[in-house]
Amino acid sequence: MSVLIKPIITEKQSQAAEKLNRFGFIVDSKANKLQIKQAVEKMYGVSVESVNTMNYIGKVRQRYTRAGMQVGIANRAKKAVVTLRKGDTIDFYSNL
């Protein structure tokens, strides 16, 4: 089971990384904070100070089309915001 699914690379998250040394990840929904901390430290070779997690419930999306009402559900997700110690940083663009 892979704990980290993908990093969150948005404008808001990039600003938090620059100013507050916080990085966001989409993580496995069953992972706890200790598992997330260990996975980030192992994968990126940094020391993690704190981990904050949040669960997002999939929203119901519906639209009216010629064929009738189309109803679907967006995916559920668990996000983790990881704060690193001073001096540590993660470069997501180094592997491109």
Side-chain angles (χ1 to χ4, degrees):
M1 175 180 92
S2 179
V3 176
L4 300 177
I5 297 173
K6 66 179 181 178
I8 300 171
I9 302 174
T10 60
E11 189 174 346
K12 187 175 183 179
Q13 195 63 51
S14 297
Q15 289 175 353
E18 291 173 11
K19 294 179 182 176
L20 305 171
N21 212 19
R22 291 183 181 164
F23 297 88
F25 295 93
I26 302 288
V27 296
D28 183 40
S29 61
K30 296 175 184 161
N32 61 28
K33 291 183 180 185
L34 292 175
Q35 292 171 335
I36 295 167
K37 179 179 178 177
Q38 291 169 353
V40 170
E41 288 178 344
K42 184 179 176 186
M43 182 173 267
Y44 295 104
V46 294
S47 49
V48 175
E49 208 170 84
S50 68
V51 177
N52 296 35
T53 60
M54 54 205 96
N55 284 308
Y56 284 90
I57 299 171
K59 286 185 177 180
V60 175
R61 308 283 179 150
Q62 59 186 6
R63 63 177 184 251
Y64 187 75
T65 63
R66 191 184 317 178
M69 188 68 79
Q70 298 289 322
V71 179
I73 299 176
N75 291 337
R76 293 175 162 235
K78 184 172 188 175
K79 295 182 184 180
V81 177
V82 177
T83 305
L84 303 181
R85 287 216 178 108
K86 226 174 195 167
D88 287 345
T89 187
I90 298 173
D91 186 15
F92 295 124
Y93 302 108
S94 63
N95 296 342
L96 297 179

